[in-house]
Amino acid sequence: MFPTRDKLTICFAHAAYQMKARFDARNTGINSFQVRSYDEFVQRVGEADVVSVSGMWKNDIIPHATRLKFVQSISSGMDQYSKELLGAKGIRLASAAGVNARAVAEHALALILAVFRRLPEARDNQHKKVWRGMLGDLTQREDELGGKTLLIVGMGRIGSHLAKLAKAFDMKVIGIRRDPTAGANGADAIHGMDDLVKMVPQADIVALTCALTPETTGLMSATAFAAMKPSSVFVNVARGKVADEAALIATMEGNKIWAAALDVTAEEPLPAASPLWTMPNVFVTPHTAGETRAYEDNVIDILIENLDRLWRGEATLRNQVL
């Protein structure tokens, strides 16, 4: 049985997010506590009926979670959770899918604009007190987005919102998704994942917005990178492992495409030895696309809705995984 409101305890497990503070602001009367480290999480998870967590989750915590009935993920990515182990214990699981769709789409567009308007270079020049003169070489100037073709790989919530933003800049949008029959979601044309390599040569910008699954791991392969136009830009706001990072590095080292803008990498934090740090044609942000001042409240909206569903005995949760 799911505990009643007066008996329920929620554990918020995150190193930085202000989940408990934002939850307490709702005055729900529900008992909760926050942990900031994995060791503290292990020590206290046995007190919790509900856990709200993302990157701190490890499946070996399950034996310590003796009261746990429900996990509300703080993130939309779910590859860290073992559905088999949670299911065996009867623990429900829901994602935060869609909670940061607008934020990630806006960040993707910001990365695109930063590259085309050469903002990273301008910031570097500012720090060096360099006032760049006018350029005669057309290939080295800032560029406009109007008339460009954006290929979006993943036409879910993030991809469809990015398509809407791109259309406002008069861009042509080609969408790639697992099931093209599910709709274009704002794209001018829609294709299946198998058409990726065929469609890449048509794009001025290739943006990854899809979930990381066994099917999408390495989807942006060496073959796909090789098919990109030399003047094109690669953007990744999905997960680092959706792209073959070795192939990406080789592509950038060989100046095979104009630029790459990455919010995610295969290993995070990006290792100090990675050449991506210092490549002049690569712009990196530290997986911050989804982080906004509204993030905690957006997650708590989903959590509270799912708690209400569990108290009503409903079989289906919002963003249900288990």
Side-chain angles (χ1 to χ4, degrees):
M1 293 290 293
F2 194 71
T4 57
R5 178 183 292 265
D6 60 320
K7 303 290 185 183
L8 188 79
T9 298
I10 302 172
C11 171
F12 294 106
H14 200 282
Y17 288 175
Q18 302 300 314
M19 296 297 297
K20 176 173 167 55
R22 298 310 305 157
F23 184 76
D24 288 349
R26 306 287 182 107
N27 295 314
T28 64
I30 299 169
N31 185 46
S32 69
F33 63 93
Q34 177 109 30
V35 296
R36 295 293 188 189
S37 70
Y38 181 72
D39 288 345
E40 187 183 9
F41 190 24
V42 172
Q43 291 168 7
R44 298 201 62 186
V45 70
E47 304 170 33
D49 306 290
V50 173
V51 165
S52 189
V53 62
S54 57
M56 200 180 290
W57 178 267
K58 292 183 174 65
N59 292 305
D60 58 11
I61 205 168
I62 294 174
H64 303 276
T66 53
R67 288 171 48 179
L68 188 60
K69 299 290 191 299
F70 172 50
V71 176
Q72 173 62 67
S73 183
I74 296 173
S75 66
S76 56
M78 303 299 287
D79 47 294
Q80 69 268 45
Y81 302 100
S82 169
K83 300 179 186 64
E84 292 77 16
L85 293 175
L86 289 170
K89 293 289 187 179
I91 299 170
R92 305 292 300 277
L93 174 65
S95 80
V99 72
N100 60 0
R102 180 184 298 274
V104 176
E106 289 177 359
H107 194 86
L109 184 64
L111 292 176
I112 293 168
L113 284 167
V115 169
F116 277 82
R117 303 307 303 177
R118 305 193 71 141
L119 298 184
E121 177 189 359
R123 182 69 172 186
D124 291 344
N125 284 341
Q126 177 186 339
H127 288 162
K128 293 183 289 187
K129 301 180 181 179
V130 171
W131 188 279
R132 193 200 75 190
M134 292 183 288
L135 298 175
D137 186 346
L138 296 181
T139 66
Q140 298 304 306
R141 289 186 195 168
E142 289 80 359
D143 205 356
E144 302 174 20
L145 297 185
K148 295 287 192 295
T149 296
L150 170 63
L151 177 66
I152 302 176
V153 183
M155 288 301 297
R157 295 177 179 92
I158 296 170
S160 60
H161 193 70
L162 177 57
K164 184 188 301 182
L165 296 176
K167 296 302 290 183
F169 282 82
D170 294 325
M171 299 178 72
K172 177 183 177 182
V173 178
I174 301 172
I176 298 280
R177 67 185 309 176
R178 183 181 57 82
D179 180 12
T181 65
N185 279 12
D188 297 297
I190 194 76
H191 298 267
M193 294 290 187
D194 292 343
D195 288 337
L196 175 62
V197 174
K198 182 173 71 176
M199 302 310 300
V200 160
Q202 300 183 30
D204 298 295
I205 305 153
V206 176
L208 304 186
T209 62
C210 57
L212 178 65
T213 67
E215 293 73 30
T216 62
T217 300
L219 179 68
M220 193 67 192
S221 62
T223 303
F225 279 115
M228 291 180 69
K229 296 193 295 188
S231 60
S232 62
V233 174
F234 173 68
V235 176
N236 192 357
V237 293
R239 287 292 187 271
K241 291 181 180 178
V242 176
D244 180 334
E245 194 162 282
L248 168 63
I249 290 170
T251 298
M252 305 317 296
E253 286 177 335
N255 292 311
K256 302 291 180 61
I257 63 174
W258 183 33
L262 314 171
D263 186 57
V264 291
T265 55
E267 183 180 346
E268 296 180 0
L270 181 63
S274 173
L276 293 171
W277 279 115
T278 54
M279 288 179 170
N281 53 355
V282 175
F283 181 33
V284 177
T285 56
H287 204 152
T288 53
E291 289 189 0
T292 70
R293 299 174 191 183
Y295 193 91
E296 286 91 336
D297 286 319
N298 292 341
V299 174
I300 289 166
D301 286 342
I302 298 174
L303 169 63
I304 288 175
E305 178 178 338
N306 279 332
L307 290 177
D308 287 338
R309 292 188 185 201
L310 288 164
W311 282 319
R312 291 194 297 266
E314 295 182 16
T316 303
L317 302 175
R318 178 176 171 186
N319 294 340
Q320 177 175 309
V321 178
L322 290 174

